[in-house]
Amino acid sequence: MHRSIRRLEQLRKDRANHLSHLAFLLRCRDEKIVPRFAVVKLPVHSPAAERIAKRTSFALVRERIHYHRSCLDSNAKGLLELHYDLAARLTPFDWDFVDRTTMAQGETLLNRNTERQKRKFKNLTRQQKTPPPAPPERVIVNLTEEELDKDLTAALSKGLNFVPTPKRIPYMDIIGGVEGAIRKLPQEEAEEIRNEVSAALKRAVIPKSNVSIAEKRALTTIKKNPNIVVLQADKGNATVLMKTVDYQEKLRSLLNGSTYRPITRDPTDSLVRKTAALIKRCIPENENTRTLMPQAPVPPRMYGLPKIHKDGIPLRPIVSAIGSPTYNLARHLTNLLSPFVGQCEHHVTDSKQFVQTLKSIRLEETDILASFDVVSLFTRIPVEETTRLLETRFDRKTVELFQHVLRSTYFLCNGQFYEQTEGVPMGSPLSPAIANLFMEDFEEKA
């Protein structure tokens, strides 16, 4: 009898310990705090190793949670058996005294452990939790005569990359994106991904809205206003509001120069046929050849970004060539050309190399810093001279592919088709590599 009472006392103490530990671990899990027992020491310090260690730590926390829950389950079964046994063997008065005494001991231990775990969690939070960085202040440049209310200002301050929560889940867009991504995979892997995506979409729910009703209403109002256009600034983290009339006028002044000329028809279809024929003739057919073919092509689109740091706020012309007839081929050729670019003496790979280079430079008081910039670089690159550079590095068929991409300089702007009169196509992924190749050769000759 004495042993059974002692066992009841111990089981209720164990229950108090498991409950306090479980509450602490659940809170750590929810707040992304790693307890000391789960901290993994890193033999290698790198971003990848830190991610692995973090995942391992939280896996240990989850395992400890599972352990305490299992112990509580076993504890509950043991308490139930003792309850029946002692209640049958003791008088009601004695059982009531034993039950209340052991219960009080357990609750006292639970309260003491809970306070200790709270202090422990508070210390861990202070050590591991860093305050989230304050969002950068986004400047709004209003070049219109409209006054911006606080709701519209708050909405635009989030930036043009901010995406409001959709009203409904875009099932078709998600499925279309997944299908485009898995078309190169084997049939079995593709089908497995489809099943996983389908299961995820069935479970999906609309997340909580990330904008207020007033902000959403303000965004809808300005979107429907035909007299105002909202743009990203060319430089700086700013959102620019311009009059539509001024924007169109500045865009026309760009296109009316000698760099561009209007064309009377849409060359997309003929360019698709030429691109497909060239790929079949110049590239050996393999499983990757079809990925270079134009897939549902659209013409390149031109728009302008305001240069708010310059007088008169001119526009920088930007061409989006994603999905154009030569876009996939241009990416392929860029990969072929990359090994030949960046070989000159003064090429800077990244900011780290630039800092290292600066450390070796010693300036005198008489030294002068000068910078040289090519105005409208892509439209200034001579295609014929660049082709001669390509002929020294690639065979005739590959050079023919380069020429085809470099001469595809058309784009669509405000319903009118234009093409460049000189230079390499803006917006093409091949143009930066071609420009670097030419400028490195130009620098070497200079």
Side-chain angles (χ1 to χ4, degrees):
M1 182 73 68
H2 180 72
R3 287 184 178 179
S4 296
I5 295 174
R6 287 298 182 190
R7 176 165 168 71
L8 178 66
E9 180 184 3
Q10 186 60 45
L11 282 176
R12 285 188 166 161
K13 288 182 178 179
D14 291 344
R15 180 177 180 275
N17 287 327
H18 289 307
L19 283 174
S20 61
H21 280 91
L22 182 60
F24 170 75
L25 291 170
L26 289 173
R27 195 174 179 190
C28 286
R29 182 198 65 183
D30 296 339
E31 297 291 335
K32 306 297 182 186
I33 298 294
V34 180
R36 288 192 180 90
F37 78 87
V39 174
V40 178
K41 293 184 178 180
L42 296 178
V44 178
H45 291 280
S46 67
E50 290 177 1
R51 289 194 298 270
I52 293 170
K54 192 172 183 179
R55 289 198 300 268
T56 304
S57 296
F58 286 123
L60 290 172
V61 172
R62 291 193 298 271
E63 180 59 31
R64 184 65 73 88
I65 290 172
H66 176 73
Y67 166 75
H68 284 292
R69 282 174 171 166
S70 177
C71 289
L72 282 171
D73 184 58
S74 300
N75 183 276
K77 292 177 181 178
L79 284 172
L80 185 62
E81 291 177 2
L82 279 174
H83 176 90
Y84 288 140
D85 180 52
L86 291 172
R89 296 165 61 185
L90 293 173
T91 64
F93 177 80
D94 291 338
W95 164 243
D96 184 61
F97 175 77
V98 169
D99 184 42
R100 284 189 291 106
T101 303
T102 54
M103 184 72 74
Q105 289 177 333
E107 289 181 356
T108 302
L109 181 61
L110 178 60
N111 292 334
R112 187 165 63 245
N113 286 350
T114 300
E115 291 301 320
R116 182 170 58 85
Q117 299 287 21
K118 284 182 179 179
R119 292 194 298 271
K120 184 177 176 182
F121 182 82
K122 186 176 181 180
N123 292 333
L124 286 173
T125 304
R126 191 182 302 114
Q127 295 170 9
Q128 297 185 24
K129 279 284 186 179
T130 56
E137 183 178 352
R138 194 176 298 273
V139 179
I140 300 175
V141 180
N142 185 10
L143 303 178
T144 69
E145 297 172 356
E146 300 280 342
E147 290 189 6
L148 307 182
D149 58 27
K150 64 177 183 178
D151 295 321
L152 181 58
T153 302
L156 293 177
S157 295
K158 301 179 188 297
L160 297 185
N161 290 329
F162 175 80
V163 180
T165 303
K167 295 181 180 178
R168 61 187 67 86
I169 298 175
Y171 293 103
M172 300 306 296
D173 293 340
I174 295 172
I175 293 172
V178 171
E179 288 297 326
I182 66 177
R183 68 174 183 267
K184 303 176 187 177
L185 297 178
Q187 185 64 31
E188 292 183 0
E189 293 184 18
E191 194 60 35
E192 183 179 350
I193 292 174
R194 288 190 186 98
N195 292 335
E196 292 180 1
V197 171
S198 176
L201 290 177
K202 288 178 180 178
R203 297 191 303 267
V205 294
I206 296 291
K208 185 179 178 181
S209 178
N210 54 4
V211 291
S212 66
I213 296 176
E215 290 174 351
K216 192 176 295 185
R217 192 181 297 118
L219 287 174
T220 303
T221 301
I222 197 169
K223 182 180 179 181
K224 292 181 179 179
N225 189 340
N227 300 319
I228 296 178
V229 59
V230 182
L231 304 163
Q232 181 76 31
D234 177 50
K235 291 182 180 177
N237 201 17
T239 301
V240 183
L241 279 72
M242 289 185 68
K243 293 181 180 179
T244 304
V245 175
D246 294 342
Y247 174 74
Q248 297 294 349
E249 181 62 32
K250 291 176 185 288
L251 209 53
R252 278 194 295 270
S253 66
L254 274 175
L255 296 171
N256 289 338
S258 59
T259 306
Y260 312 102
R261 65 183 173 207
I263 53 180
T264 56
R265 62 183 182 85
D266 180 3
T268 303
D269 291 339
S270 62
L271 195 58
V272 168
R273 292 191 294 271
K274 290 179 183 178
T275 303
L278 266 175
I279 291 172
K280 291 179 180 178
R281 182 163 58 85
C282 298
I283 300 179
E285 187 172 356
N286 55 49
E287 60 180 9
N288 293 324
T289 304
R290 62 190 179 94
T291 64
L292 303 180
M293 296 290 184
Q295 305 287 338
V298 293
R301 288 81 63 197
M302 182 183 183
Y303 59 94
L305 297 182
K307 301 181 181 181
I308 58 176
H309 57 288
K310 292 192 175 182
D311 294 336
I313 311 181
L315 296 181
R316 178 187 295 277
I318 303 293
V319 176
S320 174
I322 297 175
S324 64
T326 60
Y327 184 75
N328 293 337
L329 179 59
R331 291 178 63 184
H332 169 71
L333 296 176
T334 302
N335 292 333
L336 296 182
L337 184 59
S338 295
F340 298 97
V341 178
Q343 305 298 324
C344 70
E345 179 183 358
H346 301 109
H347 176 78
V348 178
T349 305
D350 51 28
S351 57
K352 183 178 179 180
Q353 182 189 352
F354 180 63
V355 171
Q356 294 298 324
T357 303
L358 290 180
K359 289 181 180 180
S360 62
I361 296 177
R362 296 293 180 269
L363 297 178
E364 303 295 337
E365 292 184 0
T366 55
D367 289 337
I368 297 174
L369 176 65
S371 64
F372 295 88
D373 183 29
V374 181
V375 179
S376 301
L377 174 62
F378 291 161
T379 61
R380 299 283 190 255
I381 300 297
V383 176
E384 295 300 329
E385 189 170 342
T386 307
T387 301
R388 288 195 290 272
L389 296 175
L390 294 171
E391 288 172 347
T392 63
R393 294 165 172 82
F394 299 99
D395 58 74
R396 181 180 58 80
K397 289 185 176 180
T398 305
V399 171
E400 193 173 351
L401 292 171
F402 275 105
Q403 289 177 316
H404 175 69
V405 173
L406 295 178
R407 287 170 179 161
S408 303
T409 61
Y410 86 108
F411 56 86
L412 177 66
C413 183
N414 290 335
Q416 172 66 50
F417 287 93
Y418 296 84
E419 67 178 2
Q420 290 177 214
T421 57
E422 56 186 355
V424 296
M426 293 190 300
S428 172
L430 178 61
S431 296
I434 286 290
N436 284 335
L437 180 71
F438 172 78
M439 292 304 299
E440 288 174 5
D441 180 74
F442 179 83
E443 178 189 332
E444 185 178 346
K445 290 177 180 177

